[in-house]
Amino acid sequence: MSESVVLRAEIATEQAHVDRVYLRLDELRSQAESMRDRGYELGHGARHEAVFEQASMLFERDVMVHHANQTLHVLDAEHEGLVFGRLDTHERETVYVGRLGIRDGEFDNLVTDWRADAAAPFYQATAEQPMGVIRRRVIQSSGRSVTGIEDDVLMPHALPEQMRVVGDGALMAALARARGERMRDIVATIQREQDEVIRAPWRGVTEITGGPGTGKTAVALHRAAYLLYRYRKQIGGGGVLVVGPSEAFTTYISRVLPSMGETSVELRAVGELLDGFEATHTDPAPVATIKGAARMRGVLRRAVRGTPPGVPSELRITYRGEVLRLAGDQLERVRRRVHGRGGQPNRCRVHAAEALLEALADVAQRHAESGGPEVDRTQLVTELGERIEFHRFLVDWWPVLHPEDVLSWLGDEQRLRTAARSQLAPDEISSLAASFADGGAGYSVADIALLDELRALVGKPRRRRVAADDPQQDHQRPPSPGAARSSLPEHYDEFGHVIVDEAQDLSPMQWRMIGRRGRHASWTVVGDPVQSSWYSAADGADADAAEADNVLGSPSARRRFTLRTNYRNSAEIFSLAARVVSGHAGADQLPTAVRATGIDPTVRSVDAASLEYEVQQAALDVLARVEGTVAVIGAMNRVADLEKFLSPVSDKRLTVAGSLDCKGLEYDAVVLVEPAEFLAESMAGRRGLYVAMTRATQRLTVLTSDPDWLPE
Ligand SMILES: Nc1ncnc2c1ncn2[C@@H]1O[C@H](COP(=O)(O)OP(=O)(O)OP(=O)(O)O)[C@@H](O)[C@H]1O
């Protein structure tokens, strides 16, 4: 039999099984739909029942509707290749592996969920350790149609005569596919070293490191799906949070988990972690570095304790015919005393009121000592404490602090200097104040962590009792027992498992922000120090690494995995990119690219004056040569030019990105513009260049007017 005849016959066999699976899926879908409808009917009927019965029926209805909706959600998820694998074992068993586990009417397995133990040999079996698997088959599909098959034989000596073997490698076929706008899942071709990470125990901290394209992100996302399948109960209601470097990145990875039927994971960019605030830009490197440093913690703490702008500088109140007065310096002493007790200012208004009343009693006492009327201290405190004018003063003098207001006050250089004490150098104070004062620019990514820190520092005002404009309502009340839901801080969304991607770029302040969302969580931390944009122990950047350790606990207690194969770049592209960091990365930090294409990167010397034309031509050239996406990448301050240059080129596959915007992303082709400008951009410019070059899967074109960008 010819090879193509065998392939057609094998495809027909698999198609028959896939048809059975879809038939069963349709049956399950209509069962779930009718269960949901019955649940709704139960709800309608309940209206006419006695109250007691009604409550229990409503509960039953809610459970039914919820369960049915969940099932439908999973069944309706985008199932590119619902069944993608098959194992034929030594014991003459056949196991189909897919995105969902599905049983037939007799409860026999039609498909085994890829996360189940029974599916593990699909990823873990090798020729050296076949785990009883004779043939591993990857089934490729488009919709419900089987389009291809790739086999591996793991026990050749045990291969029965009638068992056919086709194809020459599912992984290579998957890697050669054109890239679209969104990352795809890799369930069909997860490699053994990756599977080990995905299935690592859920507790504690799991660190994944490895060079560009080694599948760190893909593995972390598949781990999220695995953990929720295996340990949903242990992870608890908190669920899973995935933090990525940018919104472009979270959009890029957004399809992976839903394609595995998992929709409960929260994906957030690091600039999007604080609800109600959105980062609109990235600060220049030196400013971002200061804003992210652990020193900012002390600066913000002092800022919160400063005198809010515009507060009254005198308190006058009449008591039994005597005018009692507190002048500005006395009021400030009271303020310092209240802050000195610690605690969040928004939770301390009662203390502030008490301290003011005590200070007023001292004034009355001094009046008495110099011949004024005698006063009963306790009576004075009680009587003045009930006066509406006193409470009006208190509201103005000890206002509720909002993180965004405190941050904007630091746009005043004098105020920032006071808060900074010796923590910031004069030039740092100037550049930071200028950045905070620029209200029109919106918040930067680094500002979000500062706002979050401020939110923790100021505290949440206590709940008010009556209408908002009644100053008396500011009386504090003990929290109701129901309000003390748990020992968790009330401000933060808490998660059961937190996955941090591109962790090498997190500043200490960002670590603190993320840490507040996972105080009781287990962690998966993904990063590559060689791709770091700002912070790197390699630069001796800081003892700031301590903040990550505060969140993650001792480094010695972490589980560490290193991925060593670069699945993204062609070998030709990666070998040029690796030259950029040669001498700046250990040999063991650079992965091996497995796919040679025979297409070398193009490096073209250009004249700076003709850059516009050259960029356009290069973009058009690669757009014509690749099927998928193309990015033109420059240093951050080049982006506006590049956008202008490329405005005449209208092709949805084309993106313009800055050196910091392309973290974690990938494109079929990259046009890299003026690499020397990356090197000049920041201390970490060389690594930014390495990141940009390693975004390309098939083609890389470098346009440069400076021949010195590449080390010999
Ligand atoms: N086992 C696999 N099968 C198929 N494709 C894979 C596999 N592992 C990784 N890939 C693909 O390789 C590419 C790189 O993966 P990913 O983005 O997860 O790498 P990374 O290590 O996070 O890269 P970087 O650090 O450069 O951002 C993606 O297109 C991913 O789908």
Side-chain angles (χ1 to χ4, degrees):
M1 259 197 283
S2 81
E3 235 174 72
S4 65
V5 173
V6 173
L7 179 63
R8 272 205 302 278
E10 293 297 306
I11 286 182
T13 307
E14 303 309 356
Q15 185 69 58
H17 187 78
V18 167
D19 290 344
R20 256 183 90 195
V21 170
Y22 276 107
L23 209 62
R24 178 67 182 149
L25 189 68
D26 292 341
E27 258 170 51
L28 290 171
R29 181 178 286 114
S30 52
Q31 278 173 14
E33 272 164 1
S34 60
M35 180 153 116
R36 184 187 56 191
D37 296 346
R38 265 210 321 280
Y40 282 132
E41 271 167 29
L42 207 53
H44 280 294
R47 271 195 222 124
H48 311 292
E49 304 297 329
V51 174
F52 178 75
E53 259 177 82
Q54 189 174 334
S56 76
M57 281 180 82
L58 278 174
F59 177 71
E60 205 178 308
R61 179 206 67 167
D62 285 351
V63 171
M64 269 175 94
V65 170
H66 177 75
H67 184 69
N69 274 336
Q70 288 264 77
T71 312
L72 281 170
H73 208 91
V74 173
L75 297 180
D76 287 341
E78 209 180 321
H79 290 132
E80 184 194 345
L82 175 57
V83 184
F84 56 76
R86 168 178 169 158
L87 296 174
D88 290 284
T89 73
H90 196 39
E91 272 119 33
R92 309 217 167 253
E93 257 187 347
T94 299
V95 178
Y96 280 93
V97 181
R99 290 162 199 277
L100 290 177
I102 297 180
R103 289 170 190 269
D104 63 16
E106 269 74 56
F107 280 92
D108 287 331
N109 264 337
L110 283 178
V111 189
T112 300
D113 191 299
W114 67 276
R115 293 160 290 195
D117 286 347
F122 184 72
Y123 303 109
Q124 292 168 1
T126 61
E128 293 79 46
Q129 286 177 316
M131 300 170 81
V133 177
I134 298 177
R135 182 183 69 179
R136 171 175 45 214
R137 167 164 286 183
V138 173
I139 301 168
Q140 295 146 345
S141 309
S142 167
R144 296 186 175 203
S145 306
V146 176
T147 54
I149 285 172
E150 301 284 348
D151 287 334
D152 281 326
V153 177
L154 305 180
M155 299 170 77
H157 52 280
L159 191 71
E161 202 167 319
Q162 75 286 2
M163 195 180 274
R164 308 279 178 213
V165 177
V166 290
D168 47 20
L171 178 64
M172 287 303 157
L175 297 182
R177 284 212 292 188
R179 296 314 200 260
E181 279 176 13
R182 304 283 157 88
M183 188 182 214
R184 294 194 185 96
D185 69 63
I186 59 167
V187 275
T189 50
I190 291 170
Q191 299 298 290
R192 189 189 161 96
E193 64 166 7
Q194 298 175 323
D195 187 66
E196 212 185 321
V197 188
I198 292 169
R199 287 173 204 258
W202 72 280
R203 277 181 204 285
V205 179
T206 302
E207 284 185 331
I208 312 174
T209 174
T214 50
K216 298 182 296 298
T217 300
V219 163
L221 294 172
H222 288 71
R223 178 165 166 74
Y226 174 76
L227 292 179
L228 283 166
Y229 172 82
R230 213 40 219 270
Y231 303 108
R232 199 178 284 271
K233 258 210 202 104
Q234 290 89 326
I235 285 171
V240 176
L241 168 69
V242 175
V243 182
S246 63
E247 219 182 313
F249 176 82
T250 44
T251 307
Y252 169 63
I253 62 171
S254 61
R255 213 180 63 178
V256 176
L257 284 158
S259 75
M260 292 182 269
E262 188 49 75
T263 52
S264 68
V265 173
E266 181 91 14
L267 302 184
R268 295 272 185 130
V270 69
E272 283 179 325
L273 272 173
L274 180 57
D275 287 338
F277 297 92
E278 203 185 326
T280 55
H281 63 284
T282 325
D283 289 304
V287 174
T289 306
I290 312 166
K291 286 184 180 176
R295 298 176 279 162
M296 286 306 291
R297 200 178 147 198
V299 176
L300 297 181
R301 204 173 41 234
R302 284 187 291 275
V304 160
R305 293 177 176 195
T307 309
V311 297
S313 57
E314 184 186 51
L315 168 59
R316 268 171 188 277
I317 197 158
T318 311
Y319 181 68
R320 303 203 173 165
E322 289 281 306
V323 175
L324 307 180
R325 175 174 178 268
L326 291 175
D329 55 337
Q330 290 169 301
L331 286 171
E332 284 321 299
R333 268 202 299 283
V334 175
R335 188 184 300 283
R336 277 200 297 279
R337 204 174 317 134
V338 180
H339 283 308
R341 294 176 54 152
Q344 298 158 310
N346 288 343
R347 313 285 285 183
C348 283
R349 194 176 276 164
V350 163
H351 298 151
E354 285 166 0
L356 277 178
L357 290 167
E358 288 299 331
L360 288 168
D362 289 346
V363 173
Q365 186 135 13
R366 280 198 295 279
H367 284 196
E369 282 160 11
S370 50
E374 280 300 318
V375 288
D376 177 324
R377 223 181 146 88
T378 315
Q379 212 164 10
L380 176 145
V381 166
T382 312
E383 281 179 30
L384 289 185
E386 285 172 355
R387 292 257 194 96
I388 191 141
E389 61 196 295
F390 174 76
H391 283 281
R392 286 216 168 101
F393 175 85
L394 183 65
V395 168
D396 289 344
W397 182 74
W398 193 273
V400 171
L401 298 182
H402 300 284
E404 62 275 29
D405 295 337
V406 182
L407 199 68
S408 74
W409 300 340
L410 297 180
D412 171 353
E413 205 167 318
Q414 180 52 45
R415 186 178 278 271
L416 180 58
R417 190 169 302 115
T418 309
R421 293 221 187 119
S422 57
Q423 298 282 311
L424 300 175
D427 58 324
E428 292 180 324
I429 291 174
S430 304
S431 52
L432 219 52
S435 165
F436 292 140
D438 186 3
Y443 295 112
S444 68
V445 172
D447 289 337
I448 301 297
L450 299 181
L451 288 165
D452 196 63
E453 186 78 25
L454 283 168
R455 189 167 70 139
L457 285 169
V458 297
K460 193 173 179 183
R462 290 194 194 275
R463 292 253 318 268
R464 301 186 161 200
R465 194 168 28 185
V466 275
D469 55 355
D470 177 359
Q472 286 205 326
Q473 71 192 298
D474 273 300
H475 283 301
Q476 291 181 354
R477 287 189 304 161
S480 67
R485 207 168 44 91
S486 69
S487 61
L488 302 182
E490 60 188 327
H491 316 289
Y492 301 108
D493 303 323
E494 286 266 345
F495 291 85
H497 189 87
V498 182
I499 296 180
V500 186
D501 205 345
E502 306 289 350
Q504 75 281 350
D505 281 338
L506 290 180
S507 70
M509 294 307 284
Q510 287 168 335
W511 268 116
R512 292 176 59 78
M513 166 171 62
I514 298 171
R516 286 189 279 269
R517 283 145 180 84
R519 290 191 327 146
H520 306 275
S522 54
W523 295 76
T524 299
V525 179
V526 178
D528 175 13
V530 187
Q531 295 184 62
S532 157
S533 302
W534 312 109
Y535 298 91
S536 164
D539 293 337
D542 276 314
D544 281 341
E547 289 297 342
D549 294 346
N550 285 342
V551 172
L552 302 175
S554 158
S556 62
R558 300 177 203 160
R559 206 176 287 121
R560 254 192 212 97
F561 295 92
T562 305
L563 300 176
R564 301 187 191 279
T565 304
N566 175 347
Y567 299 101
R568 177 190 297 129
N569 309 128
S570 69
E572 293 83 353
I573 291 173
F574 188 68
S575 109
L576 183 67
R579 276 176 66 189
V580 169
V581 289
S582 69
H584 298 262
D588 59 333
Q589 290 180 301
L590 299 181
T592 307
V594 284
R595 193 171 45 93
T597 55
I599 305 169
D600 282 324
T602 306
V603 179
R604 188 173 310 139
S605 292
V606 296
D607 182 356
S610 60
L611 197 60
E612 176 166 0
Y613 172 80
E614 294 287 353
V615 168
Q616 282 176 3
Q617 290 309 303
L620 289 170
D621 177 60
V622 288
L623 279 166
R625 287 175 195 274
V626 300
E627 212 182 298
T629 52
V630 169
V632 177
I633 309 179
M636 290 308 282
N637 57 12
R638 240 317 146 195
V639 173
D641 279 352
L642 295 178
E643 276 167 352
K644 202 164 78 206
F645 295 169
L646 291 164
S647 58
V649 181
S650 79
D651 190 318
K652 281 215 307 258
R653 294 176 300 144
L654 179 68
T655 310
V656 171
S659 54
L660 298 176
D661 307 326
C662 58
K663 277 272 154 93
L665 304 177
E666 70 182 19
Y667 308 91
D668 273 355
V670 166
V671 176
L672 189 83
V673 183
E674 295 289 25
E677 292 178 357
F678 286 68
L679 301 177
E681 194 170 37
S682 79
M683 297 241 306
R686 179 173 304 284
R687 295 196 295 259
L689 182 55
Y690 175 63
V691 171
M693 293 171 81
T694 53
R695 299 308 96 197
T697 65
Q698 294 178 25
R699 288 183 178 266
L700 173 64
T701 302
V702 181
L703 303 178
T704 178
S705 61
D706 178 348
D708 289 338
W709 70 280
L710 190 64
E712 281 310 309

Short mmCIF file of all heavy atoms in Angstrom, two decimals, residues 4 41 60 83 110 144 216 220 263 273 293 299 334 338 472 514 516 526 636 692:
data_model
loop_
_atom_site.label_atom_id
_atom_site.label_comp_id
_atom_site.label_asym_id
_atom_site.label_seq_id
_atom_site.Cartn_x
_atom_site.Cartn_y
_atom_site.Cartn_z
N SER A 4 0.21 7.31 0.91
CA SER A 4 -0.99 8.16 0.99
C SER A 4 -2.25 7.32 1.19
O SER A 4 -3.20 7.76 1.83
CB SER A 4 -1.10 9.04 -0.25
OG SER A 4 -1.31 8.21 -1.36
N GLU A 41 -38.02 26.18 34.91
CA GLU A 41 -39.44 25.90 35.15
C GLU A 41 -39.72 25.78 36.64
O GLU A 41 -40.69 26.30 37.16
CB GLU A 41 -39.85 24.58 34.50
CG GLU A 41 -40.32 24.75 33.06
CD GLU A 41 -40.39 23.41 32.38
OE1 GLU A 41 -40.63 22.39 33.08
OE2 GLU A 41 -40.18 23.36 31.15
N GLU A 60 -32.89 24.59 44.80
CA GLU A 60 -32.69 23.46 43.89
C GLU A 60 -32.56 23.95 42.44
O GLU A 60 -31.72 23.53 41.68
CB GLU A 60 -33.90 22.55 44.01
CG GLU A 60 -33.62 21.12 43.64
CD GLU A 60 -34.88 20.31 43.86
OE1 GLU A 60 -35.46 20.38 44.96
OE2 GLU A 60 -35.28 19.65 42.91
N VAL A 83 -10.62 15.95 20.08
CA VAL A 83 -9.82 14.74 20.30
C VAL A 83 -8.50 14.96 19.56
O VAL A 83 -8.51 15.21 18.36
CB VAL A 83 -10.49 13.50 19.68
CG1 VAL A 83 -9.70 12.24 20.00
CG2 VAL A 83 -11.92 13.39 20.13
N LEU A 110 -14.88 7.56 26.08
CA LEU A 110 -14.68 7.81 24.64
C LEU A 110 -13.43 8.66 24.47
O LEU A 110 -12.67 8.49 23.53
CB LEU A 110 -15.88 8.59 24.09
CG LEU A 110 -17.15 7.81 23.82
CD1 LEU A 110 -18.24 8.74 23.33
CD2 LEU A 110 -16.89 6.72 22.78
N ARG A 144 -14.71 19.58 12.93
CA ARG A 144 -14.98 18.17 13.26
C ARG A 144 -14.28 17.20 12.31
O ARG A 144 -14.51 16.00 12.38
CB ARG A 144 -16.50 17.92 13.23
CG ARG A 144 -17.22 18.73 14.30
CD ARG A 144 -18.69 18.39 14.37
NE ARG A 144 -19.31 19.09 15.51
CZ ARG A 144 -20.41 18.72 16.12
NH1 ARG A 144 -21.06 17.65 15.71
NH2 ARG A 144 -20.90 19.41 17.13
N LYS A 216 7.54 28.88 28.25
CA LYS A 216 7.26 29.19 29.66
C LYS A 216 5.81 29.66 29.84
O LYS A 216 5.10 29.20 30.72
CB LYS A 216 8.22 30.27 30.19
CG LYS A 216 9.68 29.86 30.18
CD LYS A 216 10.58 30.94 30.76
CE LYS A 216 10.59 32.24 29.98
NZ LYS A 216 11.08 32.14 28.62
N ALA A 220 2.84 27.69 31.69
CA ALA A 220 2.17 28.28 32.87
C ALA A 220 0.65 28.27 32.68
O ALA A 220 -0.09 27.98 33.61
CB ALA A 220 2.69 29.70 33.09
N THR A 263 -12.69 28.90 31.89
CA THR A 263 -13.00 30.32 31.74
C THR A 263 -12.93 31.07 33.06
O THR A 263 -13.24 32.25 33.13
CB THR A 263 -14.42 30.50 31.17
OG1 THR A 263 -15.30 29.74 31.99
CG2 THR A 263 -14.53 30.06 29.74
N LEU A 273 -3.93 45.91 37.52
CA LEU A 273 -4.27 45.10 38.69
C LEU A 273 -5.17 45.81 39.70
O LEU A 273 -5.80 45.18 40.53
CB LEU A 273 -2.99 44.65 39.41
CG LEU A 273 -2.39 43.35 38.90
CD1 LEU A 273 -1.05 43.10 39.56
CD2 LEU A 273 -3.31 42.17 39.17
N ALA A 293 11.30 51.26 43.02
CA ALA A 293 12.25 50.83 44.06
C ALA A 293 11.59 50.70 45.43
O ALA A 293 10.64 51.42 45.74
CB ALA A 293 13.39 51.85 44.14
N VAL A 299 8.79 56.57 51.40
CA VAL A 299 8.38 57.88 50.89
C VAL A 299 6.85 58.00 50.96
O VAL A 299 6.30 59.00 51.42
CB VAL A 299 8.88 58.07 49.43
CG1 VAL A 299 8.39 59.39 48.85
CG2 VAL A 299 10.40 57.97 49.34
N VAL A 334 -0.86 67.57 67.20
CA VAL A 334 -1.91 66.56 67.40
C VAL A 334 -1.87 65.55 66.24
O VAL A 334 -1.92 64.34 66.44
CB VAL A 334 -3.30 67.23 67.47
CG1 VAL A 334 -4.40 66.17 67.55
CG2 VAL A 334 -3.38 68.18 68.65
N VAL A 338 -1.33 61.46 66.51
CA VAL A 338 -2.27 60.43 66.03
C VAL A 338 -1.55 59.47 65.07
O VAL A 338 -1.65 58.25 65.20
CB VAL A 338 -3.49 61.07 65.30
CG1 VAL A 338 -4.45 59.99 64.81
CG2 VAL A 338 -4.21 62.06 66.20
N GLN A 472 -22.10 64.14 61.17
CA GLN A 472 -22.15 63.29 62.35
C GLN A 472 -22.01 61.82 62.02
O GLN A 472 -21.69 61.01 62.87
CB GLN A 472 -23.47 63.53 63.08
CG GLN A 472 -23.44 64.86 63.81
CD GLN A 472 -24.39 64.85 64.97
OE1 GLN A 472 -25.43 64.22 64.89
NE2 GLN A 472 -24.03 65.52 66.03
N ILE A 514 1.40 42.63 43.91
CA ILE A 514 0.93 41.28 43.56
C ILE A 514 0.84 40.42 44.82
O ILE A 514 -0.10 39.65 45.00
CB ILE A 514 1.85 40.65 42.49
CG1 ILE A 514 1.80 41.49 41.22
CG2 ILE A 514 1.43 39.21 42.18
CD1 ILE A 514 2.81 41.11 40.17
N ARG A 516 0.00 41.27 47.71
CA ARG A 516 -1.23 41.54 48.46
C ARG A 516 -2.42 40.76 47.89
O ARG A 516 -3.43 40.63 48.53
CB ARG A 516 -1.54 43.05 48.44
CG ARG A 516 -0.62 43.84 49.37
CD ARG A 516 -1.09 45.27 49.50
NE ARG A 516 -0.66 46.09 48.39
CZ ARG A 516 0.48 46.78 48.37
NH1 ARG A 516 1.29 46.77 49.39
NH2 ARG A 516 0.79 47.50 47.33
N VAL A 526 7.22 32.78 36.52
CA VAL A 526 7.85 32.50 35.22
C VAL A 526 8.76 33.66 34.85
O VAL A 526 8.34 34.82 34.91
CB VAL A 526 6.74 32.38 34.14
CG1 VAL A 526 7.34 32.14 32.79
CG2 VAL A 526 5.75 31.29 34.51
N MET A 636 11.69 52.65 22.21
CA MET A 636 10.42 53.27 22.60
C MET A 636 10.23 54.65 21.96
O MET A 636 9.13 54.99 21.53
CB MET A 636 10.33 53.41 24.13
CG MET A 636 10.17 52.10 24.88
SD MET A 636 8.83 51.05 24.31
CE MET A 636 7.41 51.85 25.05
N ALA A 692 13.45 41.70 21.51
CA ALA A 692 12.79 42.08 20.24
C ALA A 692 13.15 41.08 19.14
O ALA A 692 12.28 40.64 18.37
CB ALA A 692 13.20 43.49 19.86
#
